[in-house]
mmCIF file of all heavy atoms in Angstrom:
data_model
loop_
_atom_site.group_PDB
_atom_site.id
_atom_site.type_symbol
_atom_site.label_atom_id
_atom_site.label_comp_id
_atom_site.label_asym_id
_atom_site.label_seq_id
_atom_site.Cartn_x
_atom_site.Cartn_y
_atom_site.Cartn_z
ATOM 1 N N ARG F 76 -2.820 -5.014 -12.541
ATOM 2 C CA ARG F 76 -1.718 -5.505 -13.294
ATOM 3 C C ARG F 76 -0.799 -6.408 -12.497
ATOM 4 O O ARG F 76 -0.720 -6.370 -11.336
ATOM 5 C CB ARG F 76 -1.009 -4.389 -13.951
ATOM 6 C CG ARG F 76 -0.347 -3.411 -12.912
ATOM 7 C CD ARG F 76 0.478 -2.407 -13.580
ATOM 8 N NE ARG F 76 1.054 -1.321 -12.633
ATOM 9 C CZ ARG F 76 0.367 -0.181 -12.397
ATOM 10 N NH1 ARG F 76 -0.772 0.116 -12.918
ATOM 11 N NH2 ARG F 76 0.993 0.635 -11.460
ATOM 12 N N PRO F 77 0.005 -7.259 -13.231
ATOM 13 C CA PRO F 77 0.988 -8.079 -12.556
ATOM 14 C C PRO F 77 2.122 -7.120 -12.043
ATOM 15 O O PRO F 77 2.376 -6.164 -12.658
ATOM 16 C CB PRO F 77 1.476 -9.008 -13.693
ATOM 17 C CG PRO F 77 0.529 -8.892 -14.730
ATOM 18 C CD PRO F 77 -0.098 -7.635 -14.697
ATOM 19 N N VAL F 78 2.574 -7.462 -10.877
ATOM 20 C CA VAL F 78 3.634 -6.661 -10.255
ATOM 21 C C VAL F 78 4.904 -7.698 -10.204
ATOM 22 O O VAL F 78 4.888 -8.559 -9.371
ATOM 23 C CB VAL F 78 3.243 -6.119 -8.856
ATOM 24 C CG1 VAL F 78 4.394 -5.482 -8.226
ATOM 25 C CG2 VAL F 78 2.086 -5.105 -8.944
ATOM 26 N N THR F 79 5.840 -7.283 -11.014
ATOM 27 C CA THR F 79 7.042 -8.168 -11.012
ATOM 28 C C THR F 79 8.286 -7.442 -10.283
ATOM 29 O O THR F 79 9.308 -8.079 -10.092
ATOM 30 C CB THR F 79 7.471 -8.487 -12.422
ATOM 31 O OG1 THR F 79 7.709 -7.355 -13.149
ATOM 32 C CG2 THR F 79 6.302 -9.291 -13.155
ATOM 33 N N ASN F 80 8.118 -6.107 -10.229
ATOM 34 C CA ASN F 80 9.230 -5.404 -9.482
ATOM 35 C C ASN F 80 8.668 -4.116 -8.779
ATOM 36 O O ASN F 80 7.380 -3.867 -8.963
ATOM 37 C CB ASN F 80 10.330 -4.854 -10.451
ATOM 38 C CG ASN F 80 9.674 -4.198 -11.721
ATOM 39 O OD1 ASN F 80 9.007 -3.141 -11.482
ATOM 40 N ND2 ASN F 80 10.037 -4.567 -12.999
ATOM 41 N N ALA F 81 9.513 -3.486 -8.104
ATOM 42 C CA ALA F 81 8.972 -2.229 -7.399
ATOM 43 C C ALA F 81 8.205 -1.157 -8.156
ATOM 44 O O ALA F 81 7.292 -0.564 -7.845
ATOM 45 C CB ALA F 81 10.169 -1.617 -6.503
ATOM 46 N N ALA F 82 8.854 -0.900 -9.364
ATOM 47 C CA ALA F 82 8.328 0.101 -10.239
ATOM 48 C C ALA F 82 6.858 -0.178 -10.751
ATOM 49 O O ALA F 82 5.938 0.710 -10.860
ATOM 50 C CB ALA F 82 9.138 0.246 -11.556
ATOM 51 N N ASP F 83 6.475 -1.481 -10.783
ATOM 52 C CA ASP F 83 5.066 -1.896 -11.243
ATOM 53 C C ASP F 83 4.093 -1.386 -10.150
ATOM 54 O O ASP F 83 2.849 -1.428 -10.454
ATOM 55 C CB ASP F 83 5.078 -3.383 -11.320
ATOM 56 C CG ASP F 83 5.746 -3.851 -12.662
ATOM 57 O OD1 ASP F 83 6.103 -3.061 -13.506
ATOM 58 O OD2 ASP F 83 6.215 -5.015 -12.654
ATOM 59 N N LEU F 84 4.477 -1.173 -8.879
ATOM 60 C CA LEU F 84 3.521 -0.711 -7.869
ATOM 61 C C LEU F 84 3.163 0.735 -8.039
ATOM 62 O O LEU F 84 2.108 1.050 -7.431
ATOM 63 C CB LEU F 84 4.155 -0.956 -6.415
ATOM 64 C CG LEU F 84 4.168 -2.412 -5.939
ATOM 65 C CD1 LEU F 84 4.974 -2.467 -4.688
ATOM 66 C CD2 LEU F 84 2.728 -2.878 -5.653
ATOM 67 N N ALA F 85 3.859 1.449 -8.699
ATOM 68 C CA ALA F 85 3.714 2.912 -8.708
ATOM 69 C C ALA F 85 2.269 3.266 -9.005
ATOM 70 O O ALA F 85 1.844 2.858 -10.056
ATOM 71 C CB ALA F 85 4.696 3.564 -9.638
ATOM 72 N N GLY F 86 1.650 4.116 -8.231
ATOM 73 C CA GLY F 86 0.375 4.595 -8.489
ATOM 74 C C GLY F 86 -0.808 3.748 -8.117
ATOM 75 O O GLY F 86 -1.938 4.153 -8.204
ATOM 76 N N LEU F 87 -0.626 2.520 -7.726
ATOM 77 C CA LEU F 87 -1.639 1.642 -7.333
ATOM 78 C C LEU F 87 -2.243 2.141 -5.930
ATOM 79 O O LEU F 87 -1.548 2.589 -5.087
ATOM 80 C CB LEU F 87 -1.261 0.196 -7.071
ATOM 81 C CG LEU F 87 -0.854 -0.551 -8.365
ATOM 82 C CD1 LEU F 87 -0.374 -1.893 -8.133
ATOM 83 C CD2 LEU F 87 -2.097 -0.705 -9.333
ATOM 84 N N LYS F 88 -3.603 2.027 -5.803
ATOM 85 C CA LYS F 88 -4.164 2.396 -4.570
ATOM 86 C C LYS F 88 -4.555 1.156 -3.616
ATOM 87 O O LYS F 88 -5.398 0.336 -4.019
ATOM 88 C CB LYS F 88 -5.559 3.178 -4.949
ATOM 89 C CG LYS F 88 -6.202 3.823 -3.602
ATOM 90 C CD LYS F 88 -7.388 4.581 -4.022
ATOM 91 C CE LYS F 88 -7.961 5.330 -2.869
ATOM 92 N NZ LYS F 88 -9.177 6.086 -3.274
ATOM 93 N N LEU F 89 -3.707 1.119 -2.727
ATOM 94 C CA LEU F 89 -3.681 -0.124 -1.903
ATOM 95 C C LEU F 89 -3.996 0.011 -0.428
ATOM 96 O O LEU F 89 -3.639 1.074 0.232
ATOM 97 C CB LEU F 89 -2.319 -0.833 -1.915
ATOM 98 C CG LEU F 89 -1.758 -1.227 -3.290
ATOM 99 C CD1 LEU F 89 -0.384 -2.002 -3.067
ATOM 100 C CD2 LEU F 89 -2.584 -2.113 -4.110
ATOM 101 N N ARG F 90 -4.845 -0.876 0.163
ATOM 102 C CA ARG F 90 -5.088 -0.734 1.534
ATOM 103 C C ARG F 90 -3.910 -1.333 2.291
ATOM 104 O O ARG F 90 -3.279 -2.254 1.977
ATOM 105 C CB ARG F 90 -6.263 -1.650 1.955
ATOM 106 C CG ARG F 90 -6.500 -1.684 3.475
ATOM 107 C CD ARG F 90 -5.966 -3.038 4.027
ATOM 108 N NE ARG F 90 -6.209 -3.000 5.444
ATOM 109 C CZ ARG F 90 -5.836 -4.020 6.327
ATOM 110 N NH1 ARG F 90 -5.128 -4.968 5.775
ATOM 111 N NH2 ARG F 90 -6.046 -3.997 7.598
ATOM 112 N N VAL F 91 -3.423 -0.599 3.428
ATOM 113 C CA VAL F 91 -2.474 -1.097 4.268
ATOM 114 C C VAL F 91 -2.999 -1.052 5.707
ATOM 115 O O VAL F 91 -3.898 -0.367 6.001
ATOM 116 C CB VAL F 91 -1.113 -0.168 4.190
ATOM 117 C CG1 VAL F 91 -0.526 -0.211 2.816
ATOM 118 C CG2 VAL F 91 -1.313 1.248 4.651
ATOM 119 N N MET F 92 -2.377 -1.785 6.611
ATOM 120 C CA MET F 92 -2.813 -1.795 7.978
ATOM 121 C C MET F 92 -2.606 -0.328 8.619
ATOM 122 O O MET F 92 -1.838 0.402 8.048
ATOM 123 C CB MET F 92 -1.865 -2.819 8.888
ATOM 124 C CG MET F 92 -2.326 -4.145 8.555
ATOM 125 S SD MET F 92 -1.710 -5.327 9.922
ATOM 126 C CE MET F 92 0.101 -5.180 9.621
ATOM 127 N N GLU F 93 -3.429 -0.175 9.748
ATOM 128 C CA GLU F 93 -3.393 1.154 10.356
ATOM 129 C C GLU F 93 -2.156 1.322 11.160
ATOM 130 O O GLU F 93 -2.228 1.194 12.314
ATOM 131 C CB GLU F 93 -4.668 1.353 11.066
ATOM 132 C CG GLU F 93 -5.881 1.470 10.187
ATOM 133 C CD GLU F 93 -7.146 1.276 11.032
ATOM 134 O OE1 GLU F 93 -7.436 0.203 11.554
ATOM 135 O OE2 GLU F 93 -7.857 2.222 11.131
ATOM 136 N N ASN F 94 -0.931 1.526 10.338
ATOM 137 C CA ASN F 94 0.345 1.503 11.134
ATOM 138 C C ASN F 94 1.228 2.480 10.296
ATOM 139 O O ASN F 94 1.325 2.341 9.060
ATOM 140 C CB ASN F 94 0.786 0.077 10.991
ATOM 141 C CG ASN F 94 2.136 -0.009 11.433
ATOM 142 O OD1 ASN F 94 3.145 0.385 10.803
ATOM 143 N ND2 ASN F 94 2.334 -0.805 12.567
ATOM 144 N N GLU F 95 1.829 3.368 10.957
ATOM 145 C CA GLU F 95 2.795 4.277 10.470
ATOM 146 C C GLU F 95 3.867 3.767 9.560
ATOM 147 O O GLU F 95 4.203 4.178 8.472
ATOM 148 C CB GLU F 95 3.348 5.169 11.537
ATOM 149 C CG GLU F 95 4.219 6.361 10.954
ATOM 150 C CD GLU F 95 4.693 7.189 12.125
ATOM 151 O OE1 GLU F 95 4.015 7.463 13.165
ATOM 152 O OE2 GLU F 95 5.846 7.495 12.068
ATOM 153 N N VAL F 96 4.519 2.675 9.958
ATOM 154 C CA VAL F 96 5.654 2.039 9.268
ATOM 155 C C VAL F 96 5.124 1.388 7.926
ATOM 156 O O VAL F 96 5.712 1.534 6.848
ATOM 157 C CB VAL F 96 6.271 1.035 10.070
ATOM 158 C CG1 VAL F 96 7.412 0.254 9.239
ATOM 159 C CG2 VAL F 96 6.975 1.650 11.361
ATOM 160 N N TYR F 97 4.001 0.724 8.012
ATOM 161 C CA TYR F 97 3.480 0.237 6.736
ATOM 162 C C TYR F 97 3.106 1.313 5.743
ATOM 163 O O TYR F 97 3.423 1.161 4.614
ATOM 164 C CB TYR F 97 2.241 -0.623 7.074
ATOM 165 C CG TYR F 97 2.536 -2.042 7.447
ATOM 166 C CD1 TYR F 97 2.665 -2.353 8.833
ATOM 167 C CD2 TYR F 97 2.579 -3.053 6.534
ATOM 168 C CE1 TYR F 97 3.047 -3.706 9.202
ATOM 169 C CE2 TYR F 97 2.938 -4.375 6.953
ATOM 170 C CZ TYR F 97 3.112 -4.674 8.292
ATOM 171 O OH TYR F 97 3.363 -5.924 8.668
ATOM 172 N N THR F 98 2.560 2.341 6.169
ATOM 173 C CA THR F 98 2.193 3.403 5.339
ATOM 174 C C THR F 98 3.496 4.055 4.725
ATOM 175 O O THR F 98 3.584 4.262 3.525
ATOM 176 C CB THR F 98 1.439 4.523 6.236
ATOM 177 O OG1 THR F 98 0.289 3.975 6.676
ATOM 178 C CG2 THR F 98 1.038 5.639 5.207
ATOM 179 N N ALA F 99 4.498 4.242 5.494
ATOM 180 C CA ALA F 99 5.651 4.748 5.062
ATOM 181 C C ALA F 99 6.401 3.788 4.035
ATOM 182 O O ALA F 99 6.968 4.299 2.925
ATOM 183 C CB ALA F 99 6.694 4.959 6.240
ATOM 184 N N THR F 100 6.329 2.535 4.301
ATOM 185 C CA THR F 100 6.884 1.582 3.382
ATOM 186 C C THR F 100 6.319 1.622 1.997
ATOM 187 O O THR F 100 6.974 1.687 0.987
ATOM 188 C CB THR F 100 6.681 0.113 3.999
ATOM 189 O OG1 THR F 100 7.499 0.029 5.277
ATOM 190 C CG2 THR F 100 7.161 -0.885 2.935
ATOM 191 N N PHE F 101 4.966 1.706 1.910
ATOM 192 C CA PHE F 101 4.314 1.710 0.704
ATOM 193 C C PHE F 101 4.345 3.071 -0.035
ATOM 194 O O PHE F 101 4.375 3.163 -1.304
ATOM 195 C CB PHE F 101 2.888 1.212 0.695
ATOM 196 C CG PHE F 101 2.928 -0.206 0.821
ATOM 197 C CD1 PHE F 101 2.922 -0.985 2.021
ATOM 198 C CD2 PHE F 101 2.898 -1.075 -0.325
ATOM 199 C CE1 PHE F 101 3.101 -2.384 2.082
ATOM 200 C CE2 PHE F 101 2.835 -2.441 -0.382
ATOM 201 C CZ PHE F 101 2.950 -3.047 0.736
ATOM 202 N N LYS F 102 4.445 4.216 0.709
ATOM 203 C CA LYS F 102 4.731 5.349 0.198
ATOM 204 C C LYS F 102 6.112 5.418 -0.570
ATOM 205 O O LYS F 102 6.276 6.114 -1.599
ATOM 206 C CB LYS F 102 4.517 6.667 1.184
ATOM 207 C CG LYS F 102 3.052 6.840 1.464
ATOM 208 C CD LYS F 102 2.946 8.068 2.364
ATOM 209 C CE LYS F 102 1.500 8.324 2.721
ATOM 210 N NZ LYS F 102 1.240 9.503 3.531
ATOM 211 N N ALA F 103 7.099 4.809 0.106
ATOM 212 C CA ALA F 103 8.426 4.695 -0.517
ATOM 213 C C ALA F 103 8.406 3.877 -1.821
ATOM 214 O O ALA F 103 9.209 4.125 -2.642
ATOM 215 C CB ALA F 103 9.403 4.008 0.509
ATOM 216 N N LEU F 104 7.452 3.081 -1.915
ATOM 217 C CA LEU F 104 7.163 2.305 -3.224
ATOM 218 C C LEU F 104 6.319 2.987 -4.206
ATOM 219 O O LEU F 104 5.933 2.457 -5.238
ATOM 220 C CB LEU F 104 6.528 1.001 -2.861
ATOM 221 C CG LEU F 104 7.510 0.014 -2.181
ATOM 222 C CD1 LEU F 104 6.791 -1.092 -1.437
ATOM 223 C CD2 LEU F 104 8.492 -0.598 -3.082
ATOM 224 N N ASN F 105 5.945 4.342 -3.901
ATOM 225 C CA ASN F 105 5.131 5.215 -4.788
ATOM 226 C C ASN F 105 3.726 4.655 -4.922
ATOM 227 O O ASN F 105 3.021 4.891 -5.911
ATOM 228 C CB ASN F 105 5.757 5.415 -6.139
ATOM 229 C CG ASN F 105 6.995 6.253 -6.032
ATOM 230 O OD1 ASN F 105 7.190 7.279 -5.367
ATOM 231 N ND2 ASN F 105 8.155 5.611 -6.657
ATOM 232 N N VAL F 106 3.334 4.096 -3.971
ATOM 233 C CA VAL F 106 1.886 3.453 -3.819
ATOM 234 C C VAL F 106 0.972 4.464 -3.183
ATOM 235 O O VAL F 106 1.445 5.256 -2.267
ATOM 236 C CB VAL F 106 1.845 2.191 -2.965
ATOM 237 C CG1 VAL F 106 0.348 1.785 -2.583
ATOM 238 C CG2 VAL F 106 2.466 1.045 -3.746
ATOM 239 N N ASN F 107 -0.231 4.671 -3.638
ATOM 240 C CA ASN F 107 -1.277 5.434 -2.920
ATOM 241 C C ASN F 107 -1.715 4.591 -1.823
ATOM 242 O O ASN F 107 -2.703 3.813 -1.873
ATOM 243 C CB ASN F 107 -2.383 5.783 -3.922
ATOM 244 C CG ASN F 107 -3.423 6.752 -3.240
ATOM 245 O OD1 ASN F 107 -3.338 7.000 -2.073
ATOM 246 N ND2 ASN F 107 -4.449 7.028 -3.923
ATOM 247 N N ALA F 108 -1.014 4.719 -0.563
ATOM 248 C CA ALA F 108 -1.336 3.913 0.527
ATOM 249 C C ALA F 108 -2.520 4.429 1.309
ATOM 250 O O ALA F 108 -2.476 5.589 1.815
ATOM 251 C CB ALA F 108 -0.092 3.742 1.485
ATOM 252 N N VAL F 109 -3.524 3.558 1.651
ATOM 253 C CA VAL F 109 -4.640 4.011 2.259
ATOM 254 C C VAL F 109 -4.760 3.191 3.548
ATOM 255 O O VAL F 109 -5.105 1.946 3.560
ATOM 256 C CB VAL F 109 -6.026 3.709 1.530
ATOM 257 C CG1 VAL F 109 -7.204 4.201 2.295
ATOM 258 C CG2 VAL F 109 -5.880 4.372 0.093
ATOM 259 N N PRO F 110 -4.452 3.653 4.767
ATOM 260 C CA PRO F 110 -4.562 2.932 6.074
ATOM 261 C C PRO F 110 -6.031 2.731 6.339
ATOM 262 O O PRO F 110 -6.795 3.609 6.221
ATOM 263 C CB PRO F 110 -3.989 3.865 7.103
ATOM 264 C CG PRO F 110 -3.129 4.870 6.290
ATOM 265 C CD PRO F 110 -3.873 4.971 4.961
ATOM 266 N N MET F 111 -6.471 1.355 6.463
ATOM 267 C CA MET F 111 -7.846 1.085 6.712
ATOM 268 C C MET F 111 -8.008 -0.158 7.521
ATOM 269 O O MET F 111 -7.220 -1.131 7.362
ATOM 270 C CB MET F 111 -8.393 0.902 5.237
ATOM 271 C CG MET F 111 -9.893 0.644 5.117
ATOM 272 S SD MET F 111 -10.332 0.368 3.368
ATOM 273 C CE MET F 111 -9.976 1.920 2.658
ATOM 274 N N ALA F 112 -9.034 -0.269 8.373
ATOM 275 C CA ALA F 112 -9.371 -1.438 8.953
ATOM 276 C C ALA F 112 -9.741 -2.567 8.017
ATOM 277 O O ALA F 112 -10.317 -2.251 6.922
ATOM 278 C CB ALA F 112 -10.484 -1.227 9.995
ATOM 279 N N TRP F 113 -9.449 -3.783 8.314
ATOM 280 C CA TRP F 113 -9.632 -4.896 7.296
ATOM 281 C C TRP F 113 -11.078 -5.116 6.947
ATOM 282 O O TRP F 113 -11.484 -5.272 5.853
ATOM 283 C CB TRP F 113 -9.125 -6.274 8.039
ATOM 284 C CG TRP F 113 -9.321 -7.434 7.038
ATOM 285 C CD1 TRP F 113 -10.033 -8.571 7.444
ATOM 286 C CD2 TRP F 113 -8.806 -7.596 5.709
ATOM 287 N NE1 TRP F 113 -9.923 -9.389 6.296
ATOM 288 C CE2 TRP F 113 -9.212 -8.874 5.329
ATOM 289 C CE3 TRP F 113 -8.085 -6.765 4.976
ATOM 290 C CZ2 TRP F 113 -8.927 -9.292 4.077
ATOM 291 C CZ3 TRP F 113 -7.641 -7.200 3.697
ATOM 292 C CH2 TRP F 113 -8.209 -8.548 3.374
ATOM 293 N N SER F 114 -12.059 -4.930 7.988
ATOM 294 C CA SER F 114 -13.420 -5.071 7.579
ATOM 295 C C SER F 114 -13.943 -4.092 6.509
ATOM 296 O O SER F 114 -14.811 -4.330 5.686
ATOM 297 C CB SER F 114 -14.291 -4.828 8.937
ATOM 298 O OG SER F 114 -13.935 -3.647 9.499
ATOM 299 N N GLU F 115 -13.297 -2.835 6.698
ATOM 300 C CA GLU F 115 -13.590 -1.893 5.672
ATOM 301 C C GLU F 115 -13.032 -2.144 4.310
ATOM 302 O O GLU F 115 -13.544 -1.770 3.138
ATOM 303 C CB GLU F 115 -13.180 -0.474 6.103
ATOM 304 C CG GLU F 115 -13.875 -0.036 7.398
ATOM 305 C CD GLU F 115 -13.272 1.280 7.903
ATOM 306 O OE1 GLU F 115 -12.519 1.953 7.364
ATOM 307 O OE2 GLU F 115 -13.620 1.548 9.109
#
C-alpha cells in the first residue's frame, strides 16, 4: 500500500540492513523488521 505517514507502515514486513539501530528504528515504527543481507 501507499505509505503517507508513520501509521501506514504498521505491520509491514520490511527488510532492513543488518544493523541494530536500523532494526530499532523500524520496530519503533511498528514494522516487522527483518535484518537481512541485500543479496538475500
Side-chain angles (χ1 to χ4, degrees):
R76 57 179 176 265
V78 172
T79 61
N80 56 50
D83 292 335
L84 281 172
L87 290 177
K88 189 174 185 180
L89 305 182
R90 175 264 178 180
V91 298
M92 285 197 291
E93 297 169 290
N94 172 295
E95 188 181 312
V96 175
Y97 275 91
T98 304
T100 295
F101 280 89
K102 284 186 175 178
L104 290 161
N105 295 313
V106 165
N107 181 357
V109 184
M111 185 184 294
W113 179 238
S114 56
E115 297 171 13

